[in-house]
Amino acid sequence: MNERAVFVTRFGGVLAAVGSAVGLGNVWRFPYETGAHGGAAFLLVYLSCALLLGVPLLLGELALGYVSHKNPTGTYRSLAPGTKWHYLGYAGAVCMVLVVAFYSVVGGWTLCYAASSLMGNVPDFVEFSSGVWAPLAWMTLFFVVNAVILLGGVAKGIERASNFLMPLLFLMLVVLCVRSLLLPNAVEGLRFLFKPDFSKIDGSVVVSAMGQSFFSISVGIGCLLTYGSYLPRSAKIGKSALAIALLDTGIALLAGIIIFPACFAYGVQPDAGPGLAFITLPNVFLQMSGGMIWCFCFFLLLAVAAVTSSLSLLETPTAILQEEFGMGRRRAVIVASCLGWVLSVLCAMSFSPQWSEQLSFGGMIVFDIFDKLTANIIMPCSSFLMAVFIGWKLDKKVFADYGITHRADGTTKWYGSLFIMAMRFVAPLCIFLIFLSGLGLLDGFLK
Ligand code: PHE
């Protein structure tokens, strides 16, 4: 067995977890889902899910890894030996490969936009994304970048990259926010984002908002469990979980404040779909002096944010292949990346008119199927099971002894029992009810 890598510093480890959470989910997926589901009403449910469910689940997931120092499968195996819980680890890894498949297509778009703005002109989104070779080539480049960093090892690769690039992205988003708010009609965009119309809330809005909140903080499938397992013993898990969720949600809000005013200023429909950010943002840059340079920097930083997320998606299947199947690091990285790449080809091609018919099922293209299936169904289901595991199966002493719920002197931390309540009742019940509402069974109550 390979020696396990650890993050060198506590801060670096937490930043890498932030790197996993902050990515295309905030800047690309959040605005497009919010736009597609009516704006502020969606935002409200999203925020409630992120804070009420996301934070405790995140704490639980990080803690599982921190306690076990193993990959998700190994974690469940060591904490509940002789049971079937470890399949949850495998299921999470499969979900990660599905996420990485469509995520890398968007990562490829981001790289392409960065490179083309350097050349002085940004492609037309529909024309570009429905092509064959260009999206494939950029997506492949995205995979290569990931694989190269992963082969460099956990501590060196991930930690170094996230340490200085994340704050830069944040600064850039703040600048863009100001620019976007000065556009004509910006108020309309803010109204769309912040003034809820409760009649718009139905089962599908609630399910999608929950899915988006879990997707955005990377919770439920074991990415953060793996990162938690690399944290040094000095880590403060509770504070980290809160910081990650708040930062992530803040960045999504910033992206919304940039994109929706721009939609209304340039007459782009908020429900334009997955291309929303790629259609609206270049318009904002063109308003700025040196617009193409801004555009370049922005898409480059976004690509970096995307890479720090996709690294977390590839790291866990890699760790499982290494630690559960005895593969060497190099082979594990290559197997995980190739698997993701093959599925990614299907996602990328499902946008192309030549293939979209073969690559759609039930009226949805493969890209959308992977996207909705993972975020709206698998991640909440697996979060549900994780909460049940922590709340009902795991011996409470484990989290107490490792200082998650209790202090060293044996007294309970202020959130100790709240956390356990969240795992036992609140999270499983809320996720269950949200699914019921998605099936339309609660519509009578919600209308
Ligand atoms: N949270 C990441 C983002 O917002 C995406 C992601 C989802 C990463 C699931 C890991 C697991 O971009």
Side-chain angles (χ1 to χ4, degrees), residues 20-26 103 215-218 221 223 309 312-313 379:
S20 166
V22 175
L24 297 169
N26 311 60
Y103 203 84
F215 182 87
S216 191
I217 46 185
S218 309
I221 50 177
C223 285
S309 302
S312 75
L313 287 161
M379 293 185 72

Side-chain angles (χ1 to χ4, degrees), residues 394-411:
L394 186 70
D395 186 350
K396 300 283 151 309
K397 251 179 78 57
V398 177
F399 277 5
D401 289 350
Y402 277 90
I404 311 291
T405 50
H406 290 65
R407 294 187 201 85
D409 61 10
T411 51

Side-chain angles (χ1 to χ4, degrees), residues 206-222:
V206 186
V207 170
S208 307
M210 171 174 67
Q212 173 59 26
S213 73
F214 288 4
F215 182 87
S216 191
I217 46 185
S218 309
V219 84
I221 50 177

